[in-house]
Amino acid sequence: MGLVIILSGCAKEHFEGTEQRRSYRIHLPSGYADNGEELPVLIVLHGNPSNGWQMMLWTGMNKTADEYGFVVVYPDATNKKWPIIPENNVTEISDMKRLVDEITRRYRVDSDRFFLAGISGGGIFSFQVMKELPGLFAGFAVVSGNLPRSYDNEDFQSAPFLYIHGTADYLYPGRVELLSADDTLMKWLSVNNCDPTPMITELPDTNERDESTVSRLTYNGDPGNGVIFYRVNGGGHQWPGAVFNANTFHGNPLGPLNKDLSANEAIWRFMERNFPATANN
């Protein structure tokens, strides 16, 4: 299938979904054509309502992919919104599996090194993907997203987990249908059989004007299945280190954008640390 749009090194492509034709944007890192290696893949899920194009521009993840040599994919949710309630996720879950199959078939990638990341609605949906498609991703990262409350008593397959959440985020305390960020963390510590006492590192406050600081809490769990929590103290509903502040384009204030942490760099380091031993790297 030919490329439809190529802007900023990102192509818009389509695949056949369960009920309709679906779209995604894919960025192949610099040197992809000359490199015979099977590359890792990061699928990045936008918030609600949004799309993959906006997520690409906001995060600047293409630049990170070029620097470290991985493929990044930005799928578009149906009607710009990922499901918040798991009971509504059947089609999107099915199409996520189809997307992974599509990327594996069409591009030179390592099927053992697929990772998932999402923010807000995309982060909430990421938990659902990990529940309904166990083993498909080698690990996942959630920014400003919480576990659906209906999953609190459900069993999950253990997997490496990176969590980034601002304490001033309106989702931090949870909602009727969502656990709080603290309870979400505790659930995944249980899933990965982690020691509840973390190693805490305070990141340097390199930007004193961003009204926030970052604490990194590292939890050791079952071999290969730890949890890292970047608690953004005073941070809002944002992607730390983003290209621009989401408050600029959002009708409701989303809180401070932290600049001490690069979510992109943190996610890449998390991916690299959790490459399966059998991966083609």
Side-chain angles (χ1 to χ4, degrees):
M1 187 180 300
L3 303 186
V4 179
I5 296 176
I6 303 180
L7 287 173
S8 301
C10 199
K12 184 174 183 179
E13 297 282 11
H14 295 84
F15 69 100
E16 294 303 322
T18 307
E19 298 177 353
Q20 61 183 317
R21 201 163 182 245
R22 302 297 299 270
S23 59
Y24 65 95
R25 288 169 172 82
I26 184 165
H27 176 75
L28 305 176
S30 302
Y32 172 85
D34 303 320
N35 187 343
E37 179 186 356
E38 293 183 342
L39 300 180
V41 178
L42 176 65
I43 295 180
V44 182
L45 305 183
H46 60 74
N48 294 352
S50 188
N51 57 50
W53 177 256
Q54 292 175 343
M55 190 64 177
M56 180 197 74
L57 295 177
W58 186 33
T59 62
M61 188 63 80
N62 290 0
K63 182 178 179 181
T64 307
D66 284 338
E67 182 174 356
Y68 297 112
F70 62 91
V71 174
V72 58
V73 179
Y74 309 90
D76 297 317
T78 302
N79 298 321
K80 297 187 176 183
K81 292 184 178 181
W82 303 107
I84 301 299
I85 306 300
E87 290 75 10
N88 299 332
N89 71 14
V90 175
T91 298
E92 291 289 1
I93 290 291
S94 175
D95 286 353
M96 180 60 67
K97 177 61 169 63
R98 290 185 180 218
L99 174 63
V100 170
D101 290 344
E102 160 88 357
I103 300 302
T104 302
R105 178 182 63 84
R106 291 192 58 190
Y107 302 95
R108 194 178 61 253
V109 299
D110 185 348
S111 60
D112 290 328
R113 293 192 287 168
F114 270 76
F115 290 81
L116 182 65
I119 186 168
S120 191
I124 294 166
F125 182 59
S126 295
F127 286 115
Q128 301 174 49
V129 171
M130 299 303 292
K131 167 62 180 173
E132 305 300 337
L133 298 173
L136 187 63
F137 292 95
F140 74 119
V142 170
V143 180
S144 293
N146 305 37
L147 185 72
R149 194 173 296 276
S150 60
Y151 275 174
D152 189 22
N153 295 317
E154 296 286 332
D155 292 328
F156 284 77
Q157 180 174 306
S158 59
F161 176 42
L162 173 67
Y163 200 25
I164 301 174
H165 218 310
T167 60
D169 188 324
Y170 66 87
L171 281 186
Y172 197 92
R175 299 194 313 207
V176 172
E177 74 277 27
L178 299 173
L179 295 180
S180 69
D182 290 334
D183 287 342
T184 296
L185 174 65
M186 292 304 296
K187 171 66 176 182
W188 213 261
L189 294 181
S190 175
V191 169
N192 281 357
N193 194 28
C194 290
D195 183 336
T197 303
M199 179 176 69
I200 303 175
T201 303
E202 302 297 335
L203 271 61
D205 186 12
T206 58
N207 190 321
E208 297 181 355
R209 301 178 61 185
D210 65 6
E211 305 176 72
S212 55
T213 60
V214 180
S215 304
R216 184 178 64 232
L217 288 72
T218 303
Y219 298 86
N220 294 320
D222 288 337
N225 288 319
V227 172
I228 298 176
F229 178 36
Y230 285 94
R231 186 180 63 216
V232 186
N233 308 301
H237 194 73
Q238 301 266 11
W239 185 275
V243 175
F244 56 84
N245 192 320
N247 286 314
T248 305
F249 301 99
H250 201 277
N252 299 315
L254 297 176
L257 168 63
N258 180 267
K259 288 290 190 177
D260 304 320
L261 171 68
S262 165
N264 292 10
E265 291 284 338
I267 290 170
W268 164 249
R269 289 195 298 270
F270 168 78
M271 290 170 59
E272 188 178 37
R273 186 182 305 114
N274 290 289
F275 284 165
T278 56
N280 299 320
N281 57 337

